[in-house]
Amino acid sequence: MRSREYGPDLTPPWKRSAPAPEVPAEVDLVVEEVTTGFCGAVIRCEKTAQGPTVTLEDRFGKHRVFPMEPRGFLLEGRVVTLVRPTAPAARGPQRTASGSIAVPGARARVARAGRIYVEGRHDAELVERVWGDDLRVEGVVVEYLEGIDDLPAVVRSFAPGPDARLGVLVDHLVPGSKESRIAAEVTGENVRVVGHPYVDVWEAVKPSAVGIPEWPRVPQGQDWKTGVCRALGWPENTGAAWQRILGAVSSYKDLEPELLGRVEELIDFVTVGVSAPGS
């Protein structure tokens, strides 16, 4: 007796699931994985031997990797299929993280005699993150101080001049502060000290970039960075906290204007009218 032949799918048509819409897994897209309920923002997509995967980061900074399976995620409550985003076509001039027009294939200049000093390592890393490309093209080196108290001695040792200007970026530069008194002592024709109003450069990163409503107010007498971690419920590891903050910065759009303008001012000060060696 001849058996009946059936198609591969015996599900009645009215019970079959409609194809889920395909959504490019763009960075920062927030989705929920349907099986585990893990909710997070897209960090990256990768091609593996087992198929494409997506890495999500939840609001506590935890990362998890998931296969990009059909109907595997929820987007605003709707089932979707994540797909790898296509590389956008180049449109117009490319820009650096600071918003400047990028110079394709540009090589770093020989370092100028002039320098920009910042207060600490975190300040230097943030400046490098946003202005690094610009600084290399201009041949400007950024160094950091271990606090501002030694700035007068640093300036004397540097011996600034018309061809070797010195720019200094200071935290918490407000009228009447210790920082403002030291700045006034060293400022001159070839030395410019500028600053932002924040207690620490952490605050110069927009809270929205970090995923918090605002920077906490830390009572006087407490270590500010430790107090911030405690108030936000982060582990009291300021080094790890800074890496989390720095990792949230991708361009000048993630920084407060009070810092942006001051760094641009210093770059102009040490480069305008001064030639780099060999240029």
Side-chain angles (χ1 to χ4, degrees):
M1 183 176 178
R2 187 178 180 181
S3 63
R4 294 184 179 180
E5 294 181 0
Y6 294 96
D9 186 356
L10 302 181
T11 306
W14 60 87
K15 288 188 177 181
R16 293 176 188 170
S17 299
E22 293 187 346
V23 176
E26 304 283 357
V27 172
D28 292 335
L29 178 73
V30 177
V31 295
E32 178 182 340
E33 202 275 331
V34 295
T35 304
T36 63
F38 186 90
C39 183
V42 173
I43 299 299
R44 61 182 171 272
C45 297
E46 295 178 293
K47 185 178 180 180
T48 70
Q50 291 74 37
T53 64
V54 61
T55 302
L56 304 181
E57 180 184 57
D58 70 8
R59 62 192 183 95
F60 302 107
K62 182 178 180 180
H63 290 193
R64 288 193 61 177
V65 181
F66 297 99
M68 296 170 66
E69 297 179 343
R71 303 179 63 83
F73 299 86
L74 295 176
L75 175 63
E76 298 179 349
R78 296 169 54 240
V79 176
V80 299
T81 297
L82 290 185
V83 296
R84 297 180 69 191
T86 56
R91 297 181 179 178
Q94 301 299 301
R95 294 190 177 271
T96 67
S98 71
S100 302
I101 295 178
V103 183
R107 300 176 63 181
R109 284 193 184 186
V110 176
R112 297 173 184 269
R115 291 287 187 275
I116 292 177
Y117 276 90
V118 297
E119 277 204 64
R121 181 170 58 85
H122 292 181
D123 306 66
E125 290 176 344
L126 187 59
V127 170
E128 165 62 26
R129 172 63 61 93
V130 177
W131 289 275
D133 290 338
D134 306 56
L135 293 168
R136 280 182 282 280
V137 168
E138 295 291 347
V140 177
V141 174
V142 174
E143 300 183 20
Y144 66 87
L145 308 162
E146 291 293 345
I148 194 175
D149 291 339
D150 295 329
L151 182 57
V154 170
V155 172
R156 288 193 296 271
S157 175
F158 186 83
D163 293 323
R165 290 178 172 177
L166 182 61
V168 184
L169 178 68
V170 177
D171 296 340
H172 198 233
L173 189 61
V174 296
S177 66
K178 174 188 73 174
E179 289 80 3
S180 66
R181 291 192 294 272
I182 294 175
E185 179 182 341
V186 301
T187 296
E189 183 179 358
N190 298 305
V191 179
R192 180 168 298 180
V193 181
V194 301
H196 55 74
Y198 307 113
V199 174
D200 190 274
V201 77
W202 288 19
E203 281 191 294
V205 178
K206 290 181 178 178
S208 58
V210 187
I212 60 176
E214 62 181 359
W215 288 105
R217 296 181 180 275
V218 178
Q220 288 187 349
Q222 289 188 24
D223 177 73
W224 189 85
K225 292 175 180 175
T226 302
V228 165
C229 293
R230 187 176 299 133
L232 293 175
W234 295 354
E236 293 181 19
N237 180 331
T238 57
W242 169 243
Q243 291 307 312
R244 178 174 181 171
I245 296 165
L246 184 64
V249 176
S250 59
S251 77
Y252 71 98
K253 297 178 182 179
D254 297 318
L255 302 182
E256 298 288 359
E258 289 83 354
L259 177 66
L260 291 174
R262 303 294 76 75
V263 176
E264 298 284 355
E265 180 181 346
L266 290 182
I267 294 174
D268 288 345
F269 177 73
V270 300
T271 60
V272 172
V274 183
S275 298
S279 63

